[in-house]
Amino acid sequence: MGRSTAIVGTGSFVPEKVLTNLDLEKMVDTSDEWIRTRTGIRERRIVDEKTAASDLAVKAAQQALEQARISPSEIDLIIVATVMPDMSFPSTACLVQDRIGAKKIAAFDLSAACSGFVHSLAVAHQFIKNGVYETALVIGTETLSKITDWTDRNTCVLMGDGAGAVVLRPTDEGRGILSFCLGADGKAGDLLKLPAGGSRLPATHETIDKGLHYIKLRGSELFKIAVRVLAKAGEEALSQCGLSSKDVCLFIPHQANIRIMQAAAEKAGIPLSRLYSNIDKYGNTSAASIAIALDEAYRRGKIKEGDIILLDAFGGGLTWGACVIRW
Ligand code: ACO
């Protein structure tokens, strides 16, 4: 019998500071009612100045390792999905490796924006399925608040900070990760981007004055694409392993907007009662959102052994990624 990959531990961490819609009403021209009805968000967590992506990642990882009863010395691979690493290099994965006391194993970051966690799961799955590694730690961690323009009501109401992590180990074929579907469309990359800070526009006084180090989002255009892409990726991943939407016990999409999640579920034929959302508490935490939701759903007893779970993400790039898991 072949090998597959099981999630044997989950963890998450969000910063203490809560920023409510009422707080935002005092910062920009918006209202609690607009934010709730258009996005489903009530509040989000925000890091303090000193906290970086690796700080959140380490806490989420330690929780996942504890749940899996696996010691850091047993890890063979660490992948961190983030758009906001502590710095360009060393990678956040290397910082995490050191801080949790893992051995000198493979550790790297993966850049696929909000789809980064699902992409990282798919990559780690290859190593485990093929017998290269036994134990992998996959983390999604973001501090989007640091690249949010807090005077731009179009974006600042959407974002939040947090991290989620999973520990992966081999299992028998037919269990754990059953299939995935990854994709990208670079042509539509302009819809969501962080223009400056890379080699195209290194940081200068001018880039800072023009606000180019903040997230730029063409929200309503992305909205329609997101619904279509989520539904299609989910359907493809399900059909790849011979399943359909009626088999899905829990649908955990990227938490970008409750209306996107609901429309994607409807389009894919998944009842809304099977949709898991915590966007009301955390907003859009990019690569962390599915990992946080998965951990929360598991800890709240929403996932039982044998359940079919569909993770489904889209994000900057554009990128998308769906993954079917038999728990
Ligand atoms: N408060 C009050 N009014 C607002 C706000 C706000 N915070 N933001 C926008 N508006 C206004 C707009 O200015 C516009 O006014 P106008 O009609 O006078 O021009 C009006 O509300 C409607 O704007 P739309 O953009 O059409 O509103 P929409 O219903 O599309 O909601 C939103 C906007 C929430 C951004 C939605 O389009 C969305 O969620 N898009 C997808 C976002 C997404 O994909 N995120 C994931 C990627 S981002 C990431 O993950 C890091």
Side-chain angles (χ1 to χ4, degrees), residues 30 34 38 114 153-154 192 219 222 254 257 259 284 314:
T30 191
W34 192 97
R38 297 291 184 113
C114 308
R153 70 175 185 176
N154 291 297
L192 174 58
L222 193 52
H254 171 44
N257 183 322
R259 292 186 296 136
N284 178 350
F314 76 97

Side-chain angles (χ1 to χ4, degrees), residues 196-219:
S199 59
R200 180 67 61 198
L201 290 173
T204 60
H205 290 295
E206 197 189 349
T207 61
I208 290 167
D209 290 346
K210 287 184 173 163
L212 298 176
H213 298 270
Y214 293 131
I215 296 171
K216 307 291 175 203
L217 167 72
R218 279 156 52 191

Side-chain angles (χ1 to χ4, degrees), residues 102-116:
K103 290 195 293 207
K104 292 178 183 169
I105 42 90
F108 56 87
D109 287 2
L110 188 148
S111 171
C114 308
S115 317

